[in-house]
Amino acid sequence: MQKELIICSTLLIETSPQALPLGAACIASALKNDLLTKDKFEVKLISQSLEDIANKKIDDVALYFANILLEQNPKYLCFSVYVWNRNLIEQTAKVIKQKSSNIVIIAGGPEVTANPLSFENFDYTVSGAGEKSVPELINCLENNITNLPLGVYTKNHKICSDRSVFPNLPELSSVYLDGTLDVSEYGGALWELARGCPFKCSYCYESKGEKCVQYFSDERIEAELELFNKKNISQVFVLDPTYNANKQRALKILNLIAKKAPGMFFYFEARAEFIDKELALAFTKIPCALQIGLQSANPEVLKNVHRSLDKKKFEKNINYLNQVGAVFGFDLIYGLPGDTISGFKNSIDFALNLYPNNLETFCLSVLPGTVLFEDAKKFNMEYEQIPPYNVIKTPTYPQEEIERSRKISAACNIFYNQGRAVPWFISVAKFLHLRPSALIEEFAKWFGNNFSNKIEDFSQKCSSHVEVEKIQIQFLKSLLAAKQKNYAAQVVEDIVLINGAISRVESESKEQIVKLNFHPDDLLSQYACDIQFFVKNAKKYNCKVRCFKNKNGIDWKVIK
């Protein structure tokens, strides 16, 4: 006898290891392993990337996706709903109901957890973790049990309950070990080490989440790591909002990674206040990068969103990372309650003067289901009522300055991040007598005057470092001319070119040939950090340089 089908599904924002369907996979894995549903249903995981259907309108996407799911003829359809796919999944569910009203549609995920009563096209919504409540719900439906699990809401809103019971993590099946997700299809993995967060930043879903942190078992972590290595994937994004909150556990896992998967690249989220010399050094023992949530350099602004900042301690601990050569980046948010555009630019200055490898800047989202959502009226914040819920204006951050900040954010992404400017950015800014944020904003203005497309659009679409490098050089030459510093144009261009070539060798493992006006040894020496000194003292040396990778790392050789 053929088993009836349950489909667990979602729409992904892009095709990448960072966007694999982990949430939907967790529910699929739970359904396959829970005693209430195990062996009673066929369970399929079906996802679709918006990147692959980006040319379609919302109605076309919904119809296209609905038809894919309807072809499978499921009895139950479980959607995982996020900020970026809410509208599309709601529309998809509407199409499915119009074509086949017998399919039971269940939805969960962050958007549902935030406001489970705000949906019309789902039969049931699940607030909170669904690994236990979804199998229980389906068991109730199969056996006509009217007393539904905690956290489940009905379409007609007659039953209103709290969040689902937080599952005991050691009891949960692994989506990787049981084959629900094959990481080789994605080239990488999202790796859950823990759930919950010891901090309650009011703009984050965790602000109203579980009050404790639970960890997955050491045995599961080791088995998953061994599987990742066996599958020969290249990168792993670690899903632990504060990886280094427990220092000894963080060190233990870093040692395990070094032993079990030494060639794999890992991305961690970390808090600067928990970094010390030992931990900083440990992060250099494996290929990895840290992303650190600064959000603002103004402690008074951070208090409004239940965060704190000791700037001296932050700088001290980040210097540990710089001393050992660890790779790290920062996050900043503009539009926070109490902040101003001047404060945002001060935060950029503070961040970039610490030499991060990247600086990610975001507009504040007032997410339903967060403490900030409840506090928005208190702060007189105006924000979008539909995803992505971006702030429109606050009493201290007018709408026009939010838009100005958006351009600065895009400029930072192009010029600093995509332009891989960290080795020379501060030196150039000092030579031009500009604060880092002022240099970024000058680039934003110049771009707007010289290119027809919006800087925000270019920021999202550009992927070629060589293309960005050409734009950087054009801009810097223009700015040097405006500042009457043309005499340094060749030096600045050479510094950009040699560092850019080395970065491409590092990232692409392909040798690069670059023409220079000065010797590469001089350009890459500490003397080049002082551009004025370098201009006065360096001798010209027209040459071609080959940059390449050998067993000792990146090297270069003059070939002409």
Side-chain angles (χ1 to χ4, degrees):
M1 181 177 173
Q2 188 174 2
K3 296 177 183 177
E4 291 181 299
L5 176 63
I6 303 174
I7 292 178
C8 296
S9 185
T10 194
L11 282 164
L12 307 172
I13 195 168
E14 62 184 7
T15 304
S16 74
Q18 201 171 2
L20 56 80
L22 182 61
C26 286
I27 303 304
S29 179
L31 289 164
K32 289 191 292 185
N33 290 281
D34 195 290
L35 292 176
L36 294 173
T37 50
K38 183 180 180 180
D39 301 325
K40 296 177 183 178
F41 297 92
E42 181 185 0
V43 180
K44 284 187 179 180
L45 174 66
I46 298 177
S47 63
Q48 179 71 52
S49 169
L50 294 174
E51 207 172 54
D52 297 336
I53 48 178
N55 61 333
K56 298 179 183 290
K57 296 179 181 178
I58 184 169
D59 290 344
D60 295 335
V61 170
L63 180 61
Y64 174 80
F65 192 40
N67 286 335
I68 289 175
L69 300 172
L70 286 166
E71 284 175 3
Q72 301 291 320
N73 192 30
K75 183 175 183 179
Y76 297 99
L77 180 54
C78 303
F79 280 120
S80 189
V81 187
Y82 300 87
V83 168
W84 60 83
N85 66 17
R86 172 175 177 157
N87 294 338
L88 284 166
I89 287 185
E90 282 193 280
Q91 190 67 19
T92 301
K94 184 177 180 180
V95 172
I96 289 171
K97 279 300 182 184
Q98 290 169 347
K99 293 194 170 193
S100 181
S101 59
N102 293 328
I103 297 175
V104 177
I105 302 180
I106 303 166
E111 276 290 289
V112 174
T113 296
N115 191 352
L117 301 179
S118 64
F119 300 87
E120 292 295 330
N121 298 312
F122 306 136
D123 297 303
Y124 299 92
T125 52
V126 178
S127 178
E131 285 100 336
K132 289 298 181 184
S133 53
V134 172
E136 288 175 4
L137 169 60
I138 289 176
N139 179 65
C140 290
L141 298 176
E142 288 291 299
N143 295 286
N144 297 314
I145 299 171
T146 56
N147 188 19
L148 298 181
L150 189 68
V152 174
Y153 294 72
T154 63
K155 180 181 177 181
N156 59 16
H157 304 167
K158 287 181 180 177
I159 299 175
C160 299
S161 57
D162 205 348
R163 290 190 178 190
S164 302
V165 175
F166 194 64
N168 183 21
L169 297 195
E171 295 177 0
L172 295 182
S173 53
S174 165
V175 299
Y176 300 118
L177 299 178
D178 72 4
T180 301
L181 271 177
D182 183 354
V183 290
S184 61
E185 293 181 13
Y186 298 91
L190 296 175
W191 194 26
E192 274 197 296
L193 301 182
R195 290 188 189 176
C197 181
F199 302 96
K200 300 300 172 188
C201 310
S202 63
Y203 50 79
C204 177
Y205 283 123
E206 293 290 350
S207 64
K208 295 188 73 178
E210 299 303 318
K211 305 301 181 186
C212 63
V213 179
Q214 278 197 42
Y215 298 105
F216 287 98
S217 70
D218 292 347
E219 293 77 16
R220 168 173 163 153
I221 288 171
E222 184 169 354
E224 287 180 332
L225 192 57
E226 289 174 347
L227 177 67
F228 296 162
N229 192 53
K230 182 180 178 182
K231 293 285 186 175
N232 198 31
I233 60 174
S234 60
Q235 53 188 318
V236 175
F237 295 86
V238 177
L239 298 184
D240 184 336
T242 314
Y243 173 74
N244 60 330
N246 183 326
K247 177 184 171 182
Q248 294 310 313
R249 181 177 170 82
L251 289 170
K252 182 179 179 180
I253 293 173
L254 289 173
N255 289 332
L256 185 66
I257 290 170
K259 180 181 177 183
K260 297 285 184 178
M264 212 173 293
F265 199 95
F266 288 77
Y267 296 88
F268 297 96
E269 293 181 46
R271 294 278 292 222
E273 55 262 50
F274 299 137
I275 292 170
D276 60 15
K277 290 181 180 179
E278 183 182 15
L279 198 53
L281 186 61
F283 279 119
T284 68
K285 302 303 181 183
I286 65 168
C288 74
L290 312 181
Q291 199 65 21
I292 296 166
L294 172 58
Q295 317 311 1
S296 171
N298 186 332
E300 294 304 311
V301 168
L302 290 176
K303 283 181 184 178
N304 290 332
V305 289
H306 300 171
R307 284 182 70 96
S308 60
L309 174 67
D310 181 333
K311 292 178 77 170
K312 288 185 178 179
K313 184 175 182 181
F314 190 96
E315 290 181 83
K316 177 184 175 183
N317 292 357
I318 295 303
N319 281 333
Y320 290 143
L321 296 176
N322 278 320
Q323 287 165 14
V324 297
V327 177
F328 66 93
F330 296 138
D331 293 333
L332 286 179
I333 300 174
Y334 59 89
L336 289 166
D339 205 0
T340 63
I341 190 168
S342 175
F344 174 54
K345 292 173 70 175
N346 287 339
S347 295
I348 290 175
D349 295 336
F350 177 77
L352 291 182
N353 274 305
L354 294 174
Y355 297 89
N357 292 82
N358 65 285
L359 178 62
E360 306 296 338
T361 53
F362 307 94
C363 182
L364 176 66
S365 290
V366 184
L367 299 170
T370 64
V371 168
L372 184 61
F373 181 80
E374 297 175 352
D375 289 345
K377 285 186 179 179
K378 178 181 75 175
F379 290 119
N380 293 316
M381 302 175 71
E382 187 177 325
Y383 58 92
E384 297 169 345
Q385 298 301 303
I386 59 174
Y389 309 109
N390 283 344
V391 68
I392 296 170
K393 63 180 181 178
T394 75
T396 59
Y397 224 126
Q399 186 170 357
E400 61 270 19
E401 292 187 354
I402 291 287
E403 291 304 314
R404 183 177 159 197
S405 299
R406 204 181 311 278
K407 288 182 170 58
I408 293 172
S409 176
C412 184
N413 186 47
I414 296 167
F415 193 83
Y416 191 85
N417 298 343
Q418 295 180 14
R420 306 175 191 178
V422 60
W424 50 263
F425 181 88
I426 294 299
S427 299
V428 170
K430 285 180 178 178
F431 177 67
L432 291 165
H433 303 292
L434 290 172
R435 292 164 56 193
S437 60
L439 179 54
I440 293 293
E441 191 163 24
E442 285 290 337
F443 175 70
K445 292 174 184 175
W446 176 86
F447 190 98
N449 292 331
N450 288 274
F451 292 86
S452 57
N453 49 338
K454 290 183 178 180
I455 193 167
E456 299 96 316
D457 295 337
F458 186 85
S459 172
Q460 292 174 358
K461 294 176 182 177
C462 181
S463 59
S464 166
H465 174 252
V466 171
E467 182 182 1
V468 174
E469 186 178 76
K470 289 177 182 176
I471 294 172
Q472 284 174 323
I473 291 169
Q474 282 181 262
F475 162 68
L476 290 172
K477 284 183 175 179
S478 171
L479 191 56
L480 287 165
K483 296 274 188 180
Q484 298 183 335
K485 292 177 178 287
N486 262 335
Y487 60 87
Q490 284 188 338
V491 171
V492 171
E493 181 176 5
D494 274 15
I495 289 172
V496 173
L497 287 173
I498 187 64
N499 281 285
I502 288 171
S503 77
R504 290 193 295 276
V505 174
E506 183 67 46
S507 62
E508 301 165 20
S509 296
K510 293 180 181 178
E511 71 171 43
Q512 302 283 316
I513 305 292
V514 59
K515 289 183 179 180
L516 300 173
N517 298 285
F518 296 88
H519 198 286
D521 290 349
D522 294 334
L523 293 167
L524 293 166
S525 72
Q526 62 178 348
Y527 301 110
C529 294
D530 185 337
I531 293 173
Q532 188 68 48
F533 176 85
F534 190 93
V535 169
K536 288 182 177 180
N537 294 281
K539 294 181 180 179
K540 289 198 111 183
Y541 189 88
N542 295 318
C543 59
K544 272 188 182 179
V545 177
R546 181 170 70 93
C547 301
F548 54 94
K549 185 179 283 190
N550 59 30
K551 62 181 181 180
N552 297 317
I554 308 298
D555 204 351
W556 52 88
K557 184 177 181 181
V558 175
I559 56 177
K560 185 178 179 181

